[in-house]
Amino acid sequence: QVRLQESGGGLVEVGGSLTLSCLASEDIFSRHCMGWFRQAPNEEREGVAAILPSGVATQIADSVKGRFTLSQDKAKRTLTLQMESLKLEDTGMYYCAAWNPVGNGGCTVAGRQTLPSGYWGQGTQVSVSS
């Protein structure tokens, strides 16, 4: 069973930065979409960013485009989300996920009707204060 472990969440002021990391227990990057989703209180979980199995291209939600950067280190089995210029609305629980693009609508994160079926971490809390 693949395990995903997130880290790096915390409390930061508006305009600040945080870097989230996701460590996978196995080398799954070449076969799965790897991405981040977030869920604010009383809101549905939404996609933030994802990287294709090839590692060449990424998908970034419009709400974070230009502020968040997604990268991966396959040798370290780590997915990293660098977040800058944080806003109050970025507050939420951030989840790392890995999924097979086949049957899951590809690696798309924006406008998804359903969450991908795959592996999920327990989440790490990001809180942005004014």
Side-chain angles (χ1 to χ4, degrees):
Q1 179 72 11
V2 174
R3 295 183 302 277
L4 301 175
Q5 180 64 56
E6 303 97 335
S7 62
L11 176 64
V12 65
E13 292 184 348
V14 169
S17 301
L18 278 175
T19 298
L20 305 184
S21 295
C22 172
L23 175 64
S25 61
E26 301 177 20
D27 180 11
I28 60 172
F29 285 70
S30 297
R31 306 186 304 276
H32 292 74
C33 307
M34 301 292 300
W36 290 90
F37 290 74
R38 67 185 182 185
Q39 188 167 17
N42 302 315
E43 297 288 337
E44 293 186 353
R45 197 171 298 189
E46 64 175 1
V48 176
I51 192 164
L52 277 62
S54 65
V56 173
T58 58
Q59 300 254 351
I60 305 289
D62 287 343
S63 59
V64 303
K65 197 167 292 183
R67 300 188 296 119
F68 290 13
T69 303
L70 184 66
S71 62
Q72 66 179 20
D73 186 330
K74 293 184 177 180
K76 296 183 178 179
R77 306 192 311 276
T78 299
L79 182 72
T80 299
L81 184 67
Q82 185 174 349
M83 307 185 296
E84 299 177 349
S85 302
L86 284 162
K87 303 177 180 181
L88 292 173
E89 53 263 41
D90 294 319
T91 293
M93 187 70 79
Y94 282 67
Y95 298 91
C96 179
W99 67 97
N100 189 323
V102 178
N104 271 309
C107 297
T108 302
V109 291
R112 293 189 67 96
Q113 297 299 311
T114 59
L115 296 175
S117 176
Y119 306 103
W120 290 83
Q122 294 297 308
T124 185
Q125 178 68 37
V126 171
S127 298
V128 184
S129 65
S130 58

